[in-house]
Amino acid sequence: PHLSHGLLNRAYPIAPIFSTRGCPFNCSFCSSHFNMGNAIRKRTPSKVVDEIEFLVKEYGVREVHFEDDNFTFYKDFTAEICQLIIDRDIHFSWACPNGVRLDSLDAELLKLMERSGCYSLALGIESGSDRVLKLMKKGNSAENMRQKIKLIHETTKIRMTGFIIVGFPGETEDDLKKTEKMVLEVPLHRIAAGPFIPLPGTKIYEDLVKEKKLPEKCDWSKLSPYDENVFSSGSLTREKILGAVNRIHIKFYLRPKIIWGILSEINSFEQFKISLKLLFYWFGFVKMKKQEKLNA
């Protein structure tokens, strides 16, 4: 089956859906506001659930991916969608593979999300260093994120994937050690660590242009998190950035509880093959073609 956003999905076929667009936050690495705008525009909860019900009943969809940048920003809105799914007795699994902000979650909402079919959340952690989080204008602290991850773990059985950025301008090896320490200590089930990419339209891209570290005219062919195109500034070289990405993945995934958890999620031989290839790539054992990287 085609693997939609993410790898370890629960059921097929899968359909993506948007219930909101826009992001009011100012993370300096993110281009969402450039593409979607700063103001959040919400659909009517009943219309969102109508669409889901149509997909499930007419097309046999068994899993839905909410691709919103801020699906849980308005808790009452999210709760209403979840409650409508429960009230209408629609049976399907759903996930937020595009990521949610940890500071938008509480125990009551998490329990309701799980009851309505939520089984997986991607979490925008980015760094375990408060200094780097401030540079990113993330608007959250490492300790608060630790507590929220613990809350999800203690409140639900929802699987968690942590997004990590390595090599953000101004980041040091000491900052990376804090990130590595954090991801190994909190009860995440998966992580996706990758090199920083200076996306056009972001605040950090504009800053790097002003500092003459990037040309004003973007060379899109260089915007890649892989190999020779990794952006480097400051004390972290390309080699150190790629080495840190591999090291974090290896230390995280080569633990019995993580391996067993991933094996328990794999529901097809095709998934197993792709998972194995991705793990080998992360650990630096194999190279992948450009198109394969994009699909992963």
Side-chain angles (χ1 to χ4, degrees):
H2 172 68
L3 295 176
S4 187
H5 192 168
L7 176 62
L8 296 173
N9 304 304
R10 176 169 287 181
Y12 300 94
I14 299 168
I17 191 171
F18 280 90
S19 66
T20 66
R21 290 186 185 271
C23 180
F25 297 100
N26 297 302
C27 301
S28 60
F29 58 84
C30 182
S31 61
S32 175
H33 71 280
F34 188 74
N35 299 312
M36 301 286 192
N38 286 110
I40 293 185
R41 288 91 70 202
K42 299 180 291 182
R43 296 173 62 191
T44 304
S46 61
K47 294 294 185 183
V48 174
V49 181
D50 284 346
E51 182 177 341
I52 293 171
E53 191 167 22
F54 175 77
L55 289 168
V56 171
K57 292 184 176 180
E58 298 297 324
Y59 289 94
V61 166
R62 297 174 60 206
E63 180 165 325
V64 167
H65 287 175
F66 284 95
E67 299 290 353
D68 307 38
D69 286 313
N70 289 282
F71 178 62
T72 55
F73 181 80
Y74 292 108
K75 294 179 183 178
D76 290 346
F77 171 80
T78 309
E80 187 174 350
I81 289 176
C82 294
Q83 191 60 56
L84 282 169
I85 292 169
I86 295 168
D87 292 345
R88 296 193 194 181
D89 198 29
I90 311 171
H91 297 283
F92 67 101
S93 299
W94 64 268
C96 292
N98 200 33
V100 297
R101 282 187 63 102
L102 281 160
D103 52 4
S104 67
L105 304 173
D106 60 34
E108 183 179 2
L109 180 62
L110 285 165
K111 290 176 182 177
L112 186 60
M113 288 166 65
E114 186 175 40
R115 280 181 58 210
S116 68
C118 178
Y119 77 95
S120 178
L121 294 174
L123 310 172
I125 296 170
E126 325 309 354
S127 175
S129 164
D130 284 326
R131 193 184 73 84
V132 174
L133 291 172
K134 287 180 181 178
L135 290 175
M136 292 176 170
K137 302 187 186 304
K138 181 69 179 176
N140 206 348
S141 69
E143 180 56 30
N144 182 58
M145 288 192 283
R146 282 176 176 268
Q147 293 303 317
K148 291 291 186 175
I149 293 169
K150 182 181 177 183
L151 175 69
I152 299 170
H153 176 69
E154 292 179 346
T155 306
T156 71
K157 293 181 180 179
I158 294 173
R159 306 288 288 178
M160 294 177 280
T161 301
F163 290 157
I164 305 295
I165 296 174
V166 178
F168 190 83
E171 189 170 26
T172 66
E173 291 191 57
D174 183 59
D175 294 317
L176 284 176
K177 288 177 182 176
K178 291 178 180 177
T179 299
E180 185 177 308
K181 184 174 185 290
M182 178 177 175
V183 298
L184 293 175
E185 289 178 348
V186 295
L188 293 169
H189 303 98
R190 300 184 292 271
I191 61 168
F196 161 74
I197 304 175
L199 296 173
T202 63
K203 178 66 168 60
I204 190 62
Y205 183 91
E206 294 171 357
D207 290 344
L208 291 169
V209 169
K210 290 177 184 177
E211 294 169 10
K212 308 295 184 184
K213 294 178 180 178
L214 281 175
E216 287 190 33
K217 186 176 180 180
C218 173
D219 182 355
W220 288 93
S221 68
K222 299 295 183 183
L223 290 181
S224 166
Y226 304 102
D227 307 326
E228 70 278 359
N229 290 329
V230 170
F231 178 82
S232 171
S233 69
S235 63
L236 294 179
T237 63
R238 285 187 183 88
E239 291 71 23
K240 286 182 178 179
I241 291 170
L242 289 171
V245 170
N246 286 338
R247 184 177 68 249
I248 291 171
H249 278 138
I250 289 170
K251 287 189 174 182
F252 182 87
Y253 281 105
L254 290 188
R255 294 181 291 170
K257 66 177 181 179
I258 299 299
I259 294 171
W260 176 251
I262 289 174
L263 288 175
S264 70
E265 290 186 83
I266 293 174
N267 54 29
S268 72
F269 183 64
E270 185 69 17
Q271 260 190 335
F272 174 76
K273 288 194 300 182
I274 296 173
S275 300
L276 200 62
K277 190 165 188 177
L278 277 175
L279 286 173
F280 280 174
Y281 170 73
W282 284 338
F283 298 162
F285 298 148
V286 299
K287 297 285 185 180
M288 281 198 293
K289 297 175 183 178
K290 185 177 182 180
Q291 189 58 43
E292 289 178 312
K293 294 170 184 176
L294 291 174
N295 289 339

